[in-house]
Amino acid sequence: IIDCSLLHKEPFKERLSRNLKIKPDLKLFDLIHKNTLRNPIENKTSIAGTWLFMECMRYINNNKIMGDVAEFGSFEGGNIDVALTSDSNLFQKRTIHMFDSFEGFPRLSINDPSDREDDFKNNSYKNIKIHFSKYSNIKIHKGFLTRP
């Protein structure tokens, strides 16, 4: 296995500082890196993506911004699982809503670059419900979202 996530550490650190005015925690990156590689659930978000998510959650908490967390396209829940394993305190006062069709992508339009109809079909709603049942603040939503 080739792990290229360490190549993202410094560029993401600079972007978080410059663009979002967030002082990134490199120890958090290392913890997420370790937890992602050890986690039995694959994290499709990427190590750097989970790090960005966690840094944003720290910013939101430090600035006392209220509200729930929503993740759309949770697949097997790898991003949320690594985040909770890395620092569950960030989510104690928030409900986490995980949205997924659990059916994969629908047929895409003719304007999309490729047909990904069979992508992400190999996840199980039942297994994810069981895995995350230990958390009282997680709500899993099955189905496609439609416009009102």
Side-chain angles (χ1 to χ4, degrees), residues 37 79 92 112 141:
L37 296 178
N79 181 52
Q92 281 184 334
D112 292 309
H141 305 274

Side-chain angles (χ1 to χ4, degrees), residues 1-141:
I1 296 176
I2 297 173
D3 175 16
C4 297
S5 63
L6 297 175
L7 298 173
H8 300 285
K9 190 175 185 177
E10 288 301 318
F12 270 63
K13 174 186 165 193
E14 290 176 26
R15 289 182 192 143
L16 283 167
S17 297
R18 184 179 63 243
N19 298 339
L20 299 176
K21 309 297 185 235
I22 294 174
K23 183 180 179 189
D25 181 351
L26 297 179
K27 288 182 182 177
L28 179 61
F29 178 93
D30 294 337
L31 181 61
I32 292 166
H33 180 259
K34 178 185 78 171
N35 289 340
T36 298
L37 296 178
R38 292 181 179 171
N39 197 326
I41 299 174
E42 184 178 359
N43 184 1
K44 294 282 191 181
T45 301
S46 83
I47 293 167
T50 300
W51 183 38
L52 173 61
F53 171 64
M54 297 288 291
E55 290 289 2
C56 289
M57 286 305 305
R58 281 187 173 180
Y59 176 87
I60 288 167
N61 285 347
N62 290 341
N63 288 281
K64 299 179 179 24
I65 299 169
M66 303 303 295
D68 292 346
V69 175
E71 179 180 62
F72 296 89
S74 296
F75 188 53
E76 295 175 339
N79 181 52
I80 297 296
D81 201 48
V82 169
L84 290 168
T85 303
S86 299
D87 189 354
S88 63
N89 293 328
L90 288 178
F91 304 95
Q92 281 184 334
K93 297 179 182 176
R94 299 179 189 278
T95 300
I96 301 170
H97 297 275
M98 297 171 65
F99 293 88
D100 204 290
S101 69
F102 298 96
E103 298 175 15
F105 286 144
R107 179 162 290 285
L108 303 178
S109 76
I110 59 170
N111 298 318
D112 292 309
S114 64
D115 185 1
R116 298 181 63 190
E117 187 175 10
D118 292 328
D119 285 1
F120 301 104
K121 279 189 176 180
N122 60 338
N123 62 346
S124 165
Y125 175 69
K126 179 182 171 188
N127 290 345
I128 292 167
K129 288 284 282 186
I130 291 168
H131 179 78
F132 288 100
S133 66
K134 60 188 169 198
Y135 300 102
S136 61
N137 64 327
I138 292 185
K139 308 291 183 220
I140 300 173
H141 305 274

